[in-house]
Structures are given as structure tokens and as C-alpha cells.
Amino acid sequence: MSGFASRLAWLLAAIVALASPMAQAIDIKPLVSPGGIRYWLVEDTTVPIISITFSMAGGALLDPVGKEGTASLLSRVLDQGAGPHDASTFKTLQDDAAARLGFWAGAERFGGSLRMLRDQRAQSIELLRLALAEPRLDAEAIERQRRATISGLRRNEESPGSIASRTLYRATFGEHPYGRQVDGTATSVGAVTPEDLKALAARQLTRNRLIVAVVGDTNAQDIGPLLDQAFGALPPGDSVPEAPVWSPPPPRSGGRLLTVQRPMPQSIALMSLPGMKRDDPDWYAATVMNYVLGGGGFNSRLMNEVRDRRGLAYGASSRLSYYAQGGVFTASVATMNERVAESIAIIRAQFDLMARDGVTERELAEAKQYLVGSLALTLDSTAAIAGLLHQMQADNLAPDHLTRRRELIERVSADDVRRVARRLLRDDALTIVVVGQPVGLTATE
């Protein structure tokens, strides 16, 4: 680790050590509204703002084959008019109430968020209710959002990073729904009809596995009836299937290498390995391993070896991602075509080193200190805390998890990290995608 990186590491460690009590001090109350809506609440009267984050089962899982991106398009249209209000009037009503309403589609869930002033909560909640229970889905609004979406997708489809990501996900997940693009393609979104959106809205906007998180200047007596107003009229919904079981690609000696030729001076390389689900007992050992290897920014081994010691790239990183049926560990680097083979070789060598020797005691201590405290640095708003509460429920974590999280991280030993590294960082399970004009690399398929 360079001198600058070392100083930065200790500075961050000091900051997160001071911030860590904030996360542990969050008082999460699991509650049920008078109408039966289950939700988690954190009361915060610091400012007169209330944030709600919610989601239900579905998302891109419900996209018809050949019409990928339907759920994502629906999320863009839901706030374009509802009930008696057209898009313009609905937008004006949001502005008048100073309400910030938005929706999103993920791989396995469909959700949204509402940030509102305490004094405008009744008006704001009514807008949320209308959007969920009485979406207009006007043809003009659909076409306007479709054109904007397709325009953005066409730009992305030519982006080297997007090409690499799509290729890697297809190579990793094959025909499994996780291999689809949540936003779809220009072609698939172009095939979506207004009838498709209306059919999806009827199936998607339900209380099926509904998750709700509320943070801000409110209490159970105040917010419970409002949640009933927002979600109570939605049908129960029971037709959303779980994602099918995913099996990683079979191992192959030396791994897989796919190249996509593009006339550009740099190559982008993405690497993936089968990871783990969020409820895996080794999750925190893997989190520590990832921090040391490539998730710790300027403190990570990949950054040190690829950028600081050899100047091959601006950066190199890694991350853990997970779904209901599996997870992936990915790493990335972008560098000159002539140096991409060397960069990949260095990253693979770091994988091997981690699997063979694990981490040093100093790396282990720094990773734990950062991971314990860094969560609090992200909790700088009611919306951020509501997002955390929502994710905890989606991950089936208990309300007291923030209290136990520190202990779970502190329990991780160097032997745990080495064991999980040997489990994950397997050369025969590695898939590499390179986009550009790489020199010195031969594709295996």
C-alpha cells in the first residue's frame, strides 16, 4: 500500500469509527397498520420530512419474452397521470405539495419512493394512491416515455461498457431471467404495446410480498392510516413466481474468455465468478475479502497492483452482487489494448494470491474498521435510511441486524477470508469479457 493510500485508509478509518454509533442508534420499529400493512418505521423529528420506500414482488421477472423492459417502462409511466389528472396536472400537484414521487423496476422487484413534507402528507399520499391504484397509462404519455427510453437504450447499446456488461451477464446467466437487461433493448421496448403495460400493471401493482419502510417526522398513529390509504386498495396478488433456480456455468480449465471487437484505443475487461446469496453464512467473510481485493477503492490490492505500481489503468475494482437464486463476484479494468492482457493476468494473479494466502492481519483490521463504520456515512437523509430499511426487509434481515452487524464483521478471521477466497476465486469458474481490440488474448468461444 502506498503512503498516500495508507494515510487515506487511516483517515477513513477514523471517520467511520466516529460515525459508526449513528447506524447502531437507529431505532427500527416493525409495525402493522390498522388495515394490515406491515412496515418498518424510524421516527426522526429533526426535519419535517417523511420518506417512504416500498416494493412488491415482480419487476423484470414479469417481462414477456421479446418485450424485455416492460416493467421498466411501466415505472416511467406511472407518474405521468393518474385518476382524474393528466400528466401535466399530476406533475403540478406534486410540485404544489413539494412531493417527490418515483418508481423503479429491478430484476425481481418493482417499487417506488415518496419524499414529502409532514404538513403535505395527506395530499402526497393521495398522489401515491392514485398512481398505484388508478394509473391512467395514457397512450400519449406511454409513447413519449417509450421514445425517450429507446433513445437512451440506443446510446447505451453502442457504449463499450454496456456491451461488456450485456455480454458478461448473458455468458454468466444464459437464458435465465437474470441474464436479461432490466431496461430491455431498443427492439424489445419498441415491441411493448399500451395493452402490455396495462396487463402488467394489473399483475404488478399488488400487495404481493409488499415491503414498506417509513422514516421521518411521523409516528405509528399518524402514518398507519396513511399507509392503508396508499396500499390498502391494491389487490392481494398471488401470480408472481419466484425466479427459477440458477446454476452457474460448468467449470472449464483456464476459464472462459469472450472478446467483442470494437474499433477503440482502449479495452474494457469484465470478469465474473459465481458468488453467493445474501443469506450465505460466509457473506461477511466474502465482504471483507472483496474490500481487501478490489472493493476498497484506493486501498485495494487491485488498485495498488494495476494502477499504483504499474500505471496500467486509472483503476481496477471488484464487487459482490446477489439475487434471490444466486450471486456473482465481478471485477473490472479498462486500459490500452496493448496492456489489457497484462492487466488481466495481474488481476488473476491477485485472485490466486488471495486464495492461497488470504489477508494480512493489518488488511483484516483495516477492512473491518471501514466496513463497521462506513454504513453510517451513507445514512445522511431520511430517504437513505428508508432505502436501507427497505433493503434489509428484502434481504430477510431482522430489525436488530444493524446492532448485530458489527459483531458479525468482527467475528471474521483471516482463516475465514482464506476459506471463502478458495471457494469463490476459482480459475476454472472464471468468465472474462473484453470489448475493444485486445492484443495478446485469444477467445475461447
Side-chain angles (χ1 to χ4, degrees), residues 1-184:
M1 182 181 297
S2 68
F4 171 76
S6 179
R7 290 192 296 275
L8 180 62
W10 285 108
L11 176 60
L12 289 173
I15 292 173
V16 298
L18 291 172
S20 60
M22 293 169 56
Q24 297 173 41
I26 294 176
D27 180 17
I28 301 174
K29 299 175 181 174
L31 300 167
V32 182
S33 73
I37 303 297
R38 297 183 179 279
Y39 65 104
W40 285 9
L41 171 66
V42 170
E43 298 180 27
D44 179 1
T45 59
T46 306
V47 292
I49 292 175
I50 303 169
S51 292
I52 299 175
T53 299
F54 63 91
S55 71
M56 52 279 285
L61 279 178
L62 297 181
D63 285 348
V65 174
K67 297 184 178 182
E68 291 78 13
T70 305
S72 180
L73 182 58
L74 176 64
S75 74
R76 292 180 169 90
V77 177
L78 274 188
D79 66 349
Q80 300 295 306
H85 313 301
D86 62 17
S88 177
T89 305
F90 198 75
K91 176 68 165 56
T92 299
L93 291 171
Q94 290 183 68
D95 292 342
D96 290 348
R100 187 174 299 172
L101 176 63
F103 299 90
W104 51 265
E108 298 173 285
R109 299 193 70 81
F110 186 95
S113 61
L114 173 63
R115 187 168 183 262
M116 57 189 175
L117 298 176
R118 175 180 167 76
D119 290 345
Q120 298 290 326
R121 60 194 184 286
Q123 298 92 321
S124 302
I125 285 289
E126 176 60 10
L127 294 177
L128 173 59
R129 185 196 72 79
L130 285 172
L132 292 173
E134 301 180 37
R136 288 173 65 104
L137 304 179
D138 291 334
E140 186 277 334
I142 292 173
E143 191 54 35
R144 183 174 64 252
Q145 292 300 319
R146 187 216 307 274
R147 286 198 301 270
T149 300
I150 290 175
S151 176
L153 288 170
R154 283 179 174 152
R155 286 196 300 273
N156 283 339
E157 286 171 3
E158 296 305 315
S159 160
S162 179
I163 294 170
S165 177
R166 291 199 308 271
T167 306
L168 184 73
Y169 269 69
R170 180 62 69 178
T172 301
F173 294 111
E175 296 301 319
H176 192 282
Y178 296 160
R180 301 178 185 176
Q181 297 297 301
V182 171
D183 290 335

Side-chain angles (χ1 to χ4, degrees), residues 310-324:
R310 297 174 176 85
L312 292 173
Y314 180 76
S317 62
S318 67
R319 61 177 296 181
L320 290 164
S321 305
Y322 59 92
Y323 302 89

